[in-house]
Amino acid sequence: MLFTTLMNQVSAGAFAEIIYSKDIFNLDNVAFIDGTQIEFDNNTLYFGYASFLKKNTANLNLPSQCVLVWDIDGLDSFSEKNTAPAPLWAGNTSLALVDAKELFQVFNAAKVLLDESRGRGFYGEMMDCAAHSRSMEPVINLAAAKLGNSLILLDADFKILAHSTIFTIDDPLWAENIRLGYCTYEFVSAVQEIEAVKNAARTSDPVVVTCYASPLRKLSSKIFIRGNFVGIVLMLEKETPISSMHLQLLPVISSAAGDAISRYAPYLVPGNTIYQKLLYDLLIGAPPEEIAPAIAELQFSMHLCALSIQQSRYLGQKHLKEDVARELVRIQPDTRFTFHENGIAALVPLADAPGLSLEMTEALEDLAAKEYLRIGVSNLFFRVENFAARYAQAFRALELASKLCPKEKVSFYSDYAFYDLLDSTRERERLGLYCHPALGLLRRYDHAAGTDLYHTLEIYLACNCSIKEAAQSLYIHRNSLTYRLECIRNLTHVELNNSNVRFLLEISYRIDHFIRRDS
């Protein structure tokens, strides 16, 4: 059992307060500090008085996991705990403070919980953790602490469902997979060609896996739910060498993981339709010859667009995979989607329309507002084989909108394509050189004279050079606008009747806007 899990259960009556928690070692015992110990066991939770450890607080010898009555340096109550020296609970120490009158009560409660967990076995402990947390991250951390190595939970398509955090995963290959949230098609194909994987039985029996791309050996165990293969628990051999203990425990962990997902997190492994499988394969880079048979069997609209749906306020994968997905299908019943990059990647049929209808756009804006989402919309396309490239457009629209229009809920790539071009420029500092010199002249004049000619020209161009519309947008009289435009002509010598000059000025404003927002 992990320190945090145990103390949260013990502290239901507010007996103890966690000061610092570092869930690295699995707890399997409790003991009192008697003042004679020189070394402490990492898997034991120690109880006692801080003064029994050492009088000199600067060199206090704290166990890895302890519950203390603080009785030194005048610090004897929770209200004063923040004045204690920070090094006391830095590093790998897990520390909770308790009042002296409740020390023995907390000790007895912790002992009962540990005894019960040993009686139920590790499977029972993992299921208790899942029932309490209703998510897989604490369960995977608990298992990682027990094994002494990092764990990664993947679904059958090699999407990352969860991973432990108590040990740093710095293997370059798996660090990148975790960053992406999935494994690439090339990676999956290479793994499936490894003999140990190819010949593995359809059981949870652990398999030792090695590959040239990663320096670490792995131990894997398949996860089944009601007899169906749904994923893999993967242990990375780094902190602790693979041993018989790992071989015995990993099938228990995969069994508990399957049952925990089934009971408390079924959204993690939703049933994949043939459409979802196809879209996911396209996103991870499956070659054309692999996906051609699936495309031939399926029907798609004449015109298509892709959506990237991300959470603007994190409400969890359950919310995304159940609530948001259900609402998306209600809005557009023929929408096909899969889950990718911690969001939803959707393929929307447009029939013969050139883009999303106003009604559909408004429905997406309502969905985004109600469910705390941001939605990117790609350009129109015609072949489903182009889904990955168009999804990338939708995702880029969200990235650029977050800089340029952060309050926007639905962002169209067509509105940001030019900014995407600017963003791809390697020499970003040179972008300003492409701006029309009139902008620099107007900005300097405004600064010196306290005028607003720079903004006036921008609005005039945005209103298609309509005196009436521009004056209304600027809240000034038409004569005032005419006067300002004359000043602009005299200062810059630009010919606003020339369509090429107007184009260059409009582009320059976009570049200038992008540079200022990006800096």
Side-chain angles (χ1 to χ4, degrees):
M1 184 175 291
L2 297 182
F3 177 85
T4 303
T5 303
L6 178 63
M7 294 312 301
N8 282 337
Q9 294 183 42
V10 167
S11 301
F15 299 130
E17 185 169 345
I18 296 174
I19 304 302
Y20 189 81
S21 179
K22 190 79 171 177
D23 290 326
I24 294 180
F25 304 107
N26 184 60
L27 286 169
D28 56 24
N29 199 8
V30 290
F32 278 116
I33 298 168
D34 59 19
T36 64
Q37 292 107 327
I38 299 175
E39 295 182 352
F40 297 98
D41 177 28
N42 289 331
N43 301 110
T44 297
L45 179 61
Y46 289 90
F47 290 78
Y49 289 80
S51 59
F52 278 28
L53 294 169
K54 200 167 185 179
K55 295 294 183 184
N56 183 355
T57 59
N59 297 306
L60 196 63
N61 180 27
L62 284 179
S64 295
Q65 311 192 72
C66 55
V67 178
L68 298 179
V69 174
W70 201 265
D71 62 337
I72 53 178
D73 287 347
L75 183 61
D76 58 4
S77 70
F78 293 136
S79 63
E80 296 172 291
K81 68 178 181 294
N82 291 328
T83 65
L88 294 180
W89 37 77
N92 294 332
T93 297
S94 295
L95 171 67
L97 294 184
V98 64
D99 284 334
K101 63 181 181 296
E102 294 171 340
L103 175 64
F104 297 105
Q105 187 175 355
V106 173
F107 176 90
N108 287 335
K111 186 175 187 305
V112 168
L113 287 170
L114 284 177
D115 289 344
E116 287 179 351
S117 70
R118 283 194 294 268
R120 289 191 311 271
F122 192 57
Y123 171 90
E125 190 175 341
M126 289 184 67
M127 293 304 295
D128 283 351
C129 181
H132 185 262
S133 65
R134 299 279 167 167
S135 69
M136 292 306 297
E137 284 77 9
V139 178
I140 292 301
N141 268 334
L142 174 63
K146 185 76 170 179
L147 296 175
N149 278 319
S150 295
L151 283 178
I152 301 171
L153 181 65
L154 306 104
D155 71 5
D157 291 323
F158 283 74
K159 289 197 215 53
I160 310 294
L161 301 180
H163 64 91
S164 62
T165 56
I166 60 174
F167 305 112
T168 301
I169 298 177
D170 51 13
D171 175 87
L173 185 64
W174 280 102
E176 176 64 10
N177 288 339
I178 288 171
R179 186 190 69 80
L180 292 173
Y182 63 92
C183 302
T184 64
Y185 185 85
E186 292 80 5
F187 176 87
V188 175
S189 298
V191 168
Q192 291 173 340
E193 289 302 313
I194 297 173
E195 288 300 320
V197 175
K198 190 188 298 185
N199 299 325
R202 189 179 169 80
T203 68
S204 297
D205 292 344
V207 175
V208 178
V209 180
T210 57
C211 63
Y212 72 91
S214 171
L216 303 178
R217 287 198 305 169
K218 273 75 66 177
L219 191 63
S220 71
S221 178
K222 294 178 180 177
I223 302 171
F224 296 91
I225 296 178
R226 291 182 290 277
N228 297 315
F229 169 61
V230 298
I232 298 167
V233 174
L234 189 73
M235 185 190 82
L236 307 182
E237 181 190 50
K238 182 185 176 186
E239 277 73 23
T240 309
I242 293 175
S243 67
S244 59
M245 181 269 287
H246 296 122
L247 297 173
Q248 291 171 1
L249 274 181
L250 203 63
V252 175
I253 293 169
S254 64
S255 176
D259 289 345
I261 290 172
S262 177
R263 295 183 195 180
Y264 308 115
Y267 56 87
L268 288 177
V269 286
N272 277 349
T273 67
I274 189 171
Y275 284 98
Q276 288 176 322
K277 176 65 175 169
L278 171 63
L279 295 182
Y280 185 72
D281 285 347
L282 287 167
L283 289 171
I284 67 172
E289 61 272 15
E290 292 288 337
I291 59 175
I295 292 175
E297 293 179 9
L298 303 176
Q299 296 294 321
F300 295 97
S301 173
M302 181 187 305
H303 294 172
L304 302 162
C305 78
L307 305 181
S308 174
I309 303 176
Q310 302 290 329
Q311 294 180 317
S312 59
R313 178 187 299 176
Y314 185 70
L315 299 177
Q317 288 295 301
K318 183 177 188 294
H319 170 254
L320 192 72
K321 294 186 175 183
E322 291 186 353
D323 302 334
V324 175
R326 182 175 58 250
E327 284 297 300
L328 186 63
V329 173
R330 183 187 63 79
I331 292 171
Q332 176 55 271
D334 294 329
T335 297
R336 311 296 181 183
F337 60 87
T338 187
F339 302 101
H340 189 62
E341 295 182 325
N342 295 317
I344 294 177
L347 179 71
V348 179
L350 302 174
D352 58 355
L356 284 183
S357 66
L358 178 60
E359 181 183 7
M360 179 65 172
T361 301
E362 290 175 347
L364 290 177
E365 288 177 343
D366 289 343
L367 176 65
K370 184 173 101 175
E371 303 293 349
Y372 301 99
L373 306 170
R374 297 177 62 246
I375 302 175
V377 184
S378 78
N379 288 344
L380 172 77
F381 64 105
F382 311 99
R383 293 168 56 85
V384 72
E385 294 90 329
N386 296 328
F387 175 68
R390 298 306 187 183
Y391 167 79
Q393 285 186 341
F395 193 81
R396 281 295 288 151
L398 289 182
E399 290 183 322
L400 292 164
S402 68
K403 297 178 182 178
L404 301 169
C405 298
K407 293 183 179 180
E408 190 173 70
K409 292 182 172 60
V410 177
S411 305
F412 288 81
Y413 181 76
S414 56
D415 295 333
Y416 293 94
F418 180 71
Y419 298 116
D420 197 14
L421 176 64
L422 297 181
D423 202 40
S424 66
T425 304
R426 291 184 179 180
E427 299 180 3
R428 301 284 283 275
E429 66 279 1
R430 290 178 55 84
L431 286 176
L433 300 177
Y434 298 102
C435 288
H436 196 288
L439 272 64
L441 288 170
L442 293 176
R443 188 182 285 112
R444 292 185 64 184
Y445 182 83
D446 285 343
H447 181 73
T451 54
D452 194 26
L453 299 183
Y454 176 94
H455 181 59
T456 297
L457 180 58
E458 181 180 17
I459 296 300
Y460 179 67
L461 293 169
C463 292
N464 295 316
C465 298
S466 166
I467 295 287
K468 179 181 178 181
E469 290 184 22
Q472 289 175 346
S473 295
L474 291 166
Y475 300 103
I476 60 175
H477 194 274
R478 293 176 59 170
N479 292 341
S480 298
L481 176 59
T482 302
Y483 173 75
R484 289 188 189 184
L485 292 174
E486 188 62 30
C487 290
I488 289 170
R489 291 188 183 95
N490 292 335
L491 282 168
T492 63
H493 301 288
V494 295
E495 294 294 333
L496 296 178
N497 293 327
N498 185 312
S499 61
N500 185 58
V501 171
R502 292 197 304 272
F503 170 75
L504 293 175
L505 288 170
E506 289 174 1
I507 293 298
S508 297
Y509 272 109
R510 288 176 178 264
I511 293 174
D512 202 32
H513 179 59
F514 179 78
I515 292 172
R516 283 184 287 140
R517 287 299 182 95
D518 195 47
S519 60

